[in-house]
Amino acid sequence: MTFEAALRSAVGPEHVLIDPDLRSSYETDWTGRFSGESRAVVRPATTAEVARVLQECSGARVPVVVQGGNTGLVGGSVPPAEQGANPPVVLVTTRLAELSDVCVAARQVTAGAGVTLAVLAACARAAGLDFGVDLAARDSATVGGMVATNAGGIRVLRHGSMREQVAGVEAVLADGRILSRLAGLAKDSTGYDIGHLLAGSEGTLAVLTRLRLRLVPAERRRAVAFIAVAGTAEAVDLLAALQTQLPSLCAAELCFAAGVALVARHLGLRPPLEGTGQAYVLVEAAGQSDPLDELLAALQACPQVLDATVATSAPDRAQLWALREGHTETISALGVPVKLDVSVPMARLAELVDQLPGAVADAAPAALLVIFGHLAEANLHVNVLRAGDDSETVTAAVLSLVASLGGSISSEHGVGRAKTRWLGLSRSRAEIDVMRSVKTAFDPLGLLNPGVLLPAQRQAGA
Ligand code: FAD
Ligand code: MLT
Ligand code: ZN
């Protein structure tokens, strides 16, 4: 039997895509910046099918690129541009879409890796609970991809990142062996936590097939404020005040006048508070009872607030959120950006924002810089349009600046293919050595997502 025939026998002929036209949407990432050819796209529907696909790939020494919703922003879910003689199979998890009943007492649910965030959240809400992580790609991003990237999003300040939601995992190793710890035990001290290790492993260690996920209490009453402040330092001071004065605080996001103007134009919205301050903080308060009075009182007590607009109804709240969440789509409509996702110690955030324009202009004089991010984690999304041939120079300049401020070159999107060269700016040689040893233990033949996360070979400074 040929390799392709073996794949067809594993998942059914209609789920092995060989025709280049059928493969193409799986071979380019969401940003349009990363793409490469595959040998085949394979779409298994069960853990057993995933195991069979991986056995075939491992037997034939064919590399495997793992893909969920393909909303990742660092190129980890698509084949590399440089093709060797052995192009990879793209293993797509979206058919792993089973959802168990919610266990309300344990506040947990088991989801197939291909379940989207929106479907998971709807399931949790139907059971009177909620899911703790939320992000704008909710309709396509899968829980497998979100665990694999340790996704963050807009509620980290309340519930943590994706790793914190993982109560158990089922995953398939490169050779087809299945690891299964889905009991969701609240207490378990039997050694290394493999589930938490797989969170953030970006498809380099195993294919996640099912996740046991924690759910959180539903908070149905919400209020959102879009607040003008003088600049980043004032935004940080405002956050400090709200952290103590507003117990119902569940999101604190940062954007800037120039970016909001672009988003408003793209979405056809009127930018609120125009001409007041250089920065905006979007704050959401949530609780079992209406948090509006608490929010208004806190805003009144904070001298950093130059002006604010507040929304309580769902459509009005969505409109304010659109000014923040619309940045990604707006930027992509303007061109293919260099997208960098960084964090620094909170005390250095204002310095980073001040120094970025100079660093980017020195590296690529014609570039357009658009920044925004998650204020509560000092997580800035640095988008550079029109970098042209200077993409790598811009990346080096921004990531070196971040490292000099004691920050991380990837706050929540992962390292992917985009930033492997710079991993040594955030991880020591000893850490990278340990990560390589872990990779070898899970995947001795190096077949899962080669070229993602870990640099292909050790480089100076790595
Ligand atoms: P993919 O893009 O398919 O894959 C991402 C990585 O995970 C790849 O390395 C892939 O190989 C690996 N992977 C996927 N599935 C599996 C699996 N089952 N087993 C093992 N490895 C796997 N991210 C944030 O953190 N916060 C945000 O606020 C945020 N907002 C976004 C907004 C928009 C509009 C967009 C387009 C993206 C945003 N993202 C955000 C990025 C993206 O949505 C997340 O990285 C998400 O976790 C990716 O999920 P996915 O299913 O699309 O994964
Ligand atoms: C966001 O917070 O909106 C995202 O992480 C997406 C992006 O960086 O564009
Ligand atoms: Zn983000």
Side-chain angles (χ1 to χ4, degrees):
M1 199 173 350
T2 65
F3 176 65
E4 279 74 12
L7 294 178
R8 283 191 198 96
S9 139
V11 301
E14 67 277 34
H15 296 297
V16 179
L17 313 180
I18 306 285
D19 184 324
D21 287 344
L22 297 178
R23 290 191 332 245
S24 70
S25 68
Y26 299 92
E27 293 177 337
T28 299
D29 80 320
W30 191 93
T31 67
R33 185 169 174 216
F34 300 96
S35 72
E37 257 184 67
S38 67
R39 178 165 178 170
V41 172
V42 183
R43 301 182 302 195
T46 63
T47 303
E49 289 185 5
V50 171
R52 277 198 61 193
V53 170
L54 290 178
Q55 274 159 9
E56 295 303 338
C57 291
S58 137
R61 305 292 193 264
V62 173
V64 176
V65 170
V66 192
Q67 185 177 105
N70 201 14
T71 66
L73 300 171
V74 288
S77 54
V78 294
E82 324 76 47
Q83 284 299 339
N86 191 13
V89 157
V90 178
L91 187 159
V92 178
T93 61
T94 48
R95 293 179 69 229
L96 298 164
E98 220 177 288
L99 261 173
S100 76
D101 288 340
V102 170
C103 176
V104 178
R107 286 197 197 140
Q108 290 180 357
V109 67
T110 300
V115 170
T116 64
L117 171 58
V119 167
L120 174 72
C123 160
R125 284 173 201 148
L129 295 165
D130 206 345
F131 187 59
V133 172
D134 193 16
L135 45 82
R138 51 186 76 80
D139 291 327
S140 307
T142 64
V143 295
M146 291 173 64
V147 172
T149 55
N150 189 24
I154 56 180
R155 306 228 184 280
V156 172
L157 97 90
R158 181 76 130 229
H159 303 297
S161 293
M162 206 58 195
R163 181 178 284 123
E164 280 87 76
Q165 320 309 318
V166 175
V169 303
E170 177 190 81
V172 185
L173 297 175
D175 61 10
R177 280 178 298 159
I178 297 170
L179 306 178
S180 188
R181 287 193 81 73
L182 287 171
L185 301 177
K187 292 178 134 186
D188 179 13
S189 291
T190 52
Y192 305 140
D193 188 330
I194 294 175
H196 280 203
L197 177 60
L198 294 181
S201 64
E202 299 187 48
T204 60
L205 300 182
V207 178
L208 293 157
T209 45
R210 287 195 288 170
L211 288 312
R212 185 76 181 163
L213 295 167
R214 297 184 213 291
L215 302 175
V216 299
E219 294 174 313
R220 305 225 181 266
R221 307 297 300 273
R222 292 180 184 274
V224 173
F226 197 79
I227 304 160
V229 294
T232 313
E234 289 76 12
V236 172
D237 289 346
L238 175 63
L239 172 71
L242 294 178
Q243 296 270 30
T244 49
Q245 292 174 31
L246 188 61
S248 55
L249 181 69
C250 75
E253 300 281 307
L254 179 65
C255 35
F256 295 88
V260 170
L262 289 175
V263 175
R265 197 174 319 140
H266 177 69
L267 298 180
L269 298 171
R270 248 191 81 217
L273 317 175
E274 243 181 327
T276 327
Q278 284 307 301
Y280 299 106
V281 178
L282 185 154
V283 160
E284 182 163 301
Q288 308 293 348
S289 57
D290 190 350
L292 180 63
D293 288 348
E294 188 180 271
L295 174 62
L296 293 176
L299 295 184
Q300 238 154 18
C302 291
Q304 299 82 11
V305 177
L306 299 178
D307 200 356
T309 180
V310 175
T312 49
S313 74
D316 291 350
R317 284 188 273 124
Q319 209 162 53
L320 293 183
W321 267 111
L323 293 165
R324 161 58 185 87
E325 290 195 330
H327 274 73
T328 312
E329 175 193 321
T330 302
I331 290 163
S332 280
L334 293 171
V336 176
V338 176
K339 287 186 86 69
L340 300 167
D341 155 52
V342 301
S343 55
V344 289
M346 190 63 80
R348 314 299 297 270
L349 183 63
E351 263 175 275
L352 174 63
V353 172
D354 285 350
Q355 291 180 30
L356 270 172
V360 170
D362 285 350
L368 172 67
L369 171 67
V370 186
I371 53 179
F372 61 98
H374 309 283
L375 176 62
E377 295 82 44
N379 172 186
L380 211 60
H381 294 311
V382 180
N383 293 263
V384 184
L385 285 155
R386 301 186 217 132
D389 293 338
D390 296 320
S391 301
E392 295 291 275
T393 324
V394 166
T395 304
V398 172
L399 298 186
S400 302
L401 171 60
V402 167
S404 76
L405 296 172
S408 165
I409 64 159
S410 176
S411 181
E412 60 173 4
H413 294 166
V415 174
R417 297 189 190 284
K419 297 194 227 169
T420 48
R421 274 180 61 189
W422 289 280
L423 187 61
L425 289 173
S426 281
R427 294 293 204 151
S428 68
R429 181 180 289 272
E431 283 177 307
I432 293 175
D433 283 348
V434 171
M435 282 160 74
R436 279 190 195 285
S437 305
V438 171
K439 165 76 175 163
T440 306
F442 274 78
D443 176 21
L445 299 174
L447 293 175
L448 290 179
N449 274 10
V452 171
L453 179 50
L454 289 166
Q457 52 197 7
R458 212 164 282 156
Q459 296 165 2

